Amino acid sequence: MPPLLFFTPTLDNFVEVERRSDYLLYAQNSLITSVVSTLLGLAIAAPAAYSMAFFRSKWTRDVLMWMLSTKMMPAVGALVPIYVLAQTAGLLDTRLVLIVVFTLSNLPIMVWMLYSSFREIPHEILEAARMDGATVWQEFRRVLLPLGMGGLFSTGFCASCWPGTKRSGRST
């Protein structure tokens, strides 16, 4: 059949895919698990990166290197323990397990990205907030988060699209 320059657009193929499978449910599961795991990962990674960037200790570099080294472990090495834990907890084939796995698999990269983003923020700005009487939480929420919003968005975007995490979305 020769290709046609002018054709009549149709959505018949999408209707056929939905008829043969429950594609919209799978797409919904993928969207939910991706968004929730990204937001949960950011909620955990932002305070961790903040503490490592502005309250350095002699172990900060070692912890960061250890976190990065976890990305080098083959995913199959963690598959059996995760399966056994999910089976024991009665959570096999649920969104919750996918969210936990996606969050934990992306957490090291999220902490690294936010750490490098927060390191670019001048310490003097945070010191000025402390001098004005801000608590650590107020400093984090009112000064650091607005200044680090670009890093947060780019980290969230990268984490939701990270190639190391396959999001099948087949869970019900």
Side-chain angles (χ1 to χ4, degrees):
M1 180 163 117
L4 300 174
L5 184 58
F6 299 103
F7 61 93
T8 305
T10 179
L11 297 175
D12 291 341
N13 291 332
F14 292 102
V15 172
E16 184 63 25
V17 166
E18 180 58 30
R19 189 183 65 76
R20 289 185 186 182
S21 67
D22 206 357
Y23 176 77
L24 291 178
L25 175 66
Y26 300 150
Q28 177 187 4
N29 287 339
S30 292
L31 184 67
I32 290 170
T33 56
S34 178
V35 168
V36 172
S37 67
T38 300
L39 293 176
L40 182 61
L42 285 173
I44 296 169
Y50 166 72
S51 66
M52 289 183 201
F54 295 105
F55 302 102
R56 293 183 61 88
S57 73
K58 66 177 185 174
W59 302 105
T60 300
R61 186 172 184 273
D62 294 334
V63 169
L64 286 168
M65 293 305 288
W66 173 77
M67 290 178 76
L68 187 61
S69 72
T70 62
K71 292 302 284 181
M72 297 174 201
M73 182 181 87
V76 104
L79 195 59
V80 172
I82 290 170
Y83 181 84
V84 170
L85 287 171
Q87 185 179 32
T88 304
L91 296 173
L92 281 182
D93 201 26
T94 63
R95 288 182 188 148
L96 180 61
V97 170
L98 285 176
I99 290 168
V100 169
V101 168
F102 293 159
T103 300
L104 293 178
S105 66
N106 286 329
L107 202 54
I109 295 297
M110 294 174 97
V111 170
W112 261 94
M113 289 181 70
L114 287 175
Y115 171 78
S116 63
S117 173
F118 289 167
R119 292 289 297 164
E120 299 295 320
I121 296 172
H123 290 266
E124 293 79 16
I125 293 175
L126 299 177
E127 288 176 13
R130 283 186 217 122
M131 293 293 287
D132 288 339
T135 64
V136 173
W137 172 246
Q138 289 171 332
E139 174 186 319
F140 179 74
R141 189 171 52 92
R142 293 187 178 173
V143 178
L144 188 75
L145 287 182
L147 290 174
M149 204 54 75
L152 284 166
F153 281 122
S154 62
T155 300
F157 180 72
C158 286
S160 65
C161 303
W162 190 254
T165 307
K166 303 286 185 211
R167 292 178 180 6
S168 67
R170 290 201 169 268
S171 159
T172 57

